[in-house]
Amino acid sequence: MASKINTNFTLIPNQKYRRSNRRSSYISNNTLDSDSQPLSALGNFKDLPLEIFQIILKYLSVKDISMLSMVSKTINQHIINYISTSSGSKRLLLQDFHKVELPGKKQDSVILEHYRFLGLLLKRCTLLQPTRERLKYIHKILAEVSCFKFNGCAVPMQCLGLSCYGMFLQTLTAGWDELECHRVYNYLSDMTNLSRKMQTIVFSKPGSAQKLELRIRLFCRSVLLDHWTDRSDSAFWLTRILKPWPMVNQARLLYIIFGPIAPQNGQVLWHKMIDEPTDESSMSGLADAIKLLYHTGLKDWTADDIISLVDELSVVPREWLLENNARLLILSGNNICFTFMASKAVNGRALELARLIVFLALVCEKELYCMDWTVKMMRKVCKVFSTPVERGNFLQNVANTFACVIMEMLQSIMSGEHDEEERIFLNLFHLVHAQANFHKEVLYLTMNTLCT
């Protein structure tokens, strides 16, 4: 039988066993009193000079450093101190924002990934601090990067700085509750004087402050909106941007942030929706923003709010071509399109509604969308009218409007405006085909109803 081992003494690392339990206990107690706290906090790093510890950090990736920061409060503090050093700052705050690409791998993906992990590192390092203190510390660290500032970069269209800042911010605030995110937005707004800058552009003539319009667009898109994977997060930040302003100013801001721009210099194309029919790519940003606010179920936005916003948007800076209105509604989705049209029906704007139906058909013809969608939408809107007489008048208005719009286009061609003649003739060609296909779908629907 194995003999029992006496366990009444305390073993000391790297020290020979002593017969005297009393002597061992004395040494053990003194060791625990003096070394247990540093040992639990720093482990095997306790004997390393701080300079050597910081040299070791140079060989770790940013992701590994963020993992190390969670080991203990003491190591966390050492890492914070390292970040504040000139060598740590230079290593962590990469500023290659204007290089096009690296060999074999695009530069934007490399540097964006770097700032994503940097956001994770600073999130973990400041985990125990109050939100405002975290923001102050992080702002102090990032203040060295000029391209993170609102007006910091001379060539913002060719710069990845704000995108990296946005990736950093997204990682930092992921999982924070709404109250904390409110504080983040208010802090950023105060640091950049964003509200005052927005006030300048919404109350000035469109296009009179082109550089400021571009800066606001890039800051809102790159820093606050573009990097979220959850649509509800994007909707939250867009709501913070828009809600402090009256509806007419919300529409102006929405156009500045999501409307069409010139690819060369980023200038907002204020007259694009007024002067000529535009394409889907020019509309997609606005349509996506409207869908974002409508479908995420935020309590800040009702269906009436969204319809009012779309209505205001269609006159920024002046009344749009109705074809562009129709294209925006189609891209915004069935629910928004129907709600917008039903609102006109309820408010007795049947003539406007009839013209809108005609241009919905025109857009479907041009873009090769299914024409039966327009007919079904018209049928659904018909049910909003309360009496058969109102429905009959509306359908008559649709038929008359097709004829009126065709005559308007013919008169424009016959007036001899040669600069516009080719475009108008092509539009007329599409409209005649749209009318034929529209009525064909109406006949199909009627015959199917009769047969069933």
Side-chain angles (χ1 to χ4, degrees):
M1 180 182 294
S3 60
K4 293 184 178 180
I5 300 175
N6 183 5
T7 58
N8 292 330
F9 56 85
T10 302
L11 290 175
I12 308 300
N14 300 324
Q15 190 170 346
K16 292 183 178 180
Y17 169 76
R18 297 178 180 273
R19 291 182 180 275
S20 171
N21 290 341
R22 182 174 60 83
R23 175 61 178 166
S24 299
S25 298
Y26 172 77
I27 295 173
S28 173
N29 290 337
N30 278 309
T31 303
L32 286 172
D33 290 341
S34 61
D35 290 341
S36 65
Q37 183 59 33
L39 185 61
S40 63
L42 287 174
N44 292 330
F45 289 113
K46 70 183 180 66
D47 295 325
L48 286 177
L50 185 59
E51 293 80 2
I52 302 299
F53 179 75
Q54 292 184 356
I55 290 173
I56 292 173
L57 293 180
K58 292 180 181 179
Y59 292 91
L60 298 180
S61 67
V62 179
K63 183 180 179 181
D64 291 337
I65 296 175
S66 73
M67 295 287 288
L68 183 62
S69 69
M70 297 189 294
V71 170
S72 71
K73 290 176 66 175
T74 306
I75 287 182
N76 184 294
Q77 187 59 50
H78 283 342
I79 292 174
I80 290 175
N81 293 337
Y82 168 70
I83 295 171
S84 302
T85 64
S86 58
S87 60
S89 176
K90 184 177 180 180
R91 186 239 168 145
L92 295 175
L93 299 178
L94 301 182
Q95 300 191 39
D96 298 328
F97 301 125
H98 303 97
K99 292 181 179 179
V100 179
E101 62 180 68
L102 288 176
K105 194 169 185 181
K106 288 188 176 180
Q107 168 70 2
D108 56 353
S109 61
V110 174
I111 198 165
L112 284 170
E113 189 74 357
H114 173 85
Y115 274 97
R116 185 169 75 85
F117 286 124
L118 184 61
L120 189 61
L121 169 59
L122 289 181
K123 182 176 190 169
R124 289 168 172 173
C125 283
T126 60
L127 188 62
L128 300 179
Q129 297 179 20
T131 300
R132 189 159 187 83
E133 295 306 313
R134 296 175 87 172
L135 295 175
K136 284 182 179 179
Y137 169 74
I138 290 168
H139 177 74
K140 182 181 177 182
I141 296 297
L142 300 183
E144 299 180 23
V145 185
S146 61
C147 289
F148 285 0
K149 298 175 183 176
F150 188 90
N151 292 313
C153 185
V155 284
M157 288 286 289
Q158 291 79 45
C159 182
L160 284 170
L162 291 180
S163 293
C164 290
Y165 190 17
M167 179 63 78
F168 173 91
L169 185 68
Q170 185 269 333
T171 308
L172 177 72
T173 59
W176 290 15
D177 61 35
E178 282 196 8
L179 180 59
E180 289 177 313
C181 291
H182 269 285
R183 289 171 179 162
V184 173
Y185 179 79
N186 292 336
Y187 187 85
L188 288 174
S189 183
D190 292 341
M191 291 296 101
T192 58
N193 206 9
L194 186 60
S195 296
R196 179 63 61 86
K197 291 178 171 70
M198 287 182 174
Q199 184 179 22
T200 299
I201 61 169
V202 297
F203 290 113
S204 60
K205 183 180 178 181
S208 61
Q210 295 175 5
K211 291 183 179 179
L212 184 57
E213 289 170 356
L214 174 61
R215 297 278 184 181
I216 287 176
R217 179 189 178 98
L218 291 176
F219 186 85
C220 291
R221 291 284 293 267
S222 300
V223 177
L224 300 176
L225 299 173
D226 283 353
H227 298 288
W228 296 100
T229 54
D230 192 325
R231 289 174 58 82
S232 62
D233 290 322
S234 299
F236 169 85
W237 291 97
L238 182 56
T239 301
R240 303 283 72 73
I241 293 168
L242 297 180
K243 269 301 180 179
W245 303 96
M247 191 68 69
V248 63
N249 300 136
Q250 290 177 17
R252 175 83 73 91
L253 282 172
L254 203 67
Y255 194 94
I256 290 170
I257 297 171
F258 295 102
I261 60 171
Q264 302 85 1
N265 55 17
Q267 178 181 342
V268 178
L269 300 177
W270 287 103
H271 294 278
K272 191 172 182 66
M273 305 300 182
I274 303 167
D275 295 338
E276 60 184 13
T278 187
D279 55 11
E280 183 175 325
S281 61
S282 300
M283 287 284 192
S284 58
L286 291 168
D288 289 343
I290 292 167
K291 287 189 289 186
L292 182 70
L293 297 175
Y294 184 85
H295 290 295
T296 46
L298 293 175
K299 60 181 180 295
D300 303 86
W301 299 94
T302 64
D304 287 341
D305 289 336
I306 302 300
I307 299 311
S308 298
L309 184 59
V310 173
D311 224 6
E312 289 290 348
L313 187 62
S314 66
V315 293
V316 174
R318 297 195 306 276
E319 189 173 357
W320 291 8
L321 293 180
L322 202 49
E323 182 180 333
N324 290 333
N325 266 348
R327 183 172 273 103
L328 177 64
L329 288 173
I330 290 174
L331 293 175
S332 298
N334 291 355
N335 290 337
I336 293 173
C337 184
F338 170 72
T339 306
F340 184 85
M341 296 170 72
S343 174
K344 289 187 178 296
V346 168
N347 292 312
R349 297 160 70 178
L351 283 174
E352 291 180 30
L353 187 56
R355 286 185 68 85
L356 184 55
I357 290 287
V358 169
F359 282 95
L360 287 173
L362 177 59
V363 173
C364 286
E365 179 65 26
K366 282 185 172 183
E367 304 297 336
L368 302 179
Y369 301 150
C370 294
M371 189 62 72
D372 67 336
W373 176 87
T374 307
V375 174
K376 289 176 180 177
M377 187 63 69
M378 183 184 71
R379 185 187 186 190
K380 191 175 179 182
V381 171
C382 277
K383 296 178 181 178
V384 177
F385 292 102
S386 55
T387 66
V389 174
E390 289 179 335
R391 286 192 287 272
N393 289 337
F394 167 63
L395 294 175
Q396 184 63 54
N397 285 333
V398 172
N400 293 341
T401 302
F402 266 111
C404 288
V405 175
I406 288 173
M407 289 303 299
E408 288 171 5
M409 291 184 181
L410 275 173
Q411 288 173 0
S412 296
I413 294 172
M414 294 172 65
S415 67
E417 297 176 1
H418 297 291
D419 293 340
E420 297 291 321
E421 184 176 331
E422 184 177 349
R423 180 179 65 81
I424 296 173
F425 185 82
L426 186 61
N427 232 21
L428 177 59
F429 171 82
H430 285 303
L431 182 57
V432 171
H433 277 268
Q435 183 186 33
N437 288 327
F438 179 84
H439 285 100
K440 180 185 70 175
E441 293 296 337
V442 171
L443 290 173
Y444 282 159
L445 182 63
T446 304
M447 294 305 295
N448 289 337
T449 304
L450 292 174
C451 292
T452 55

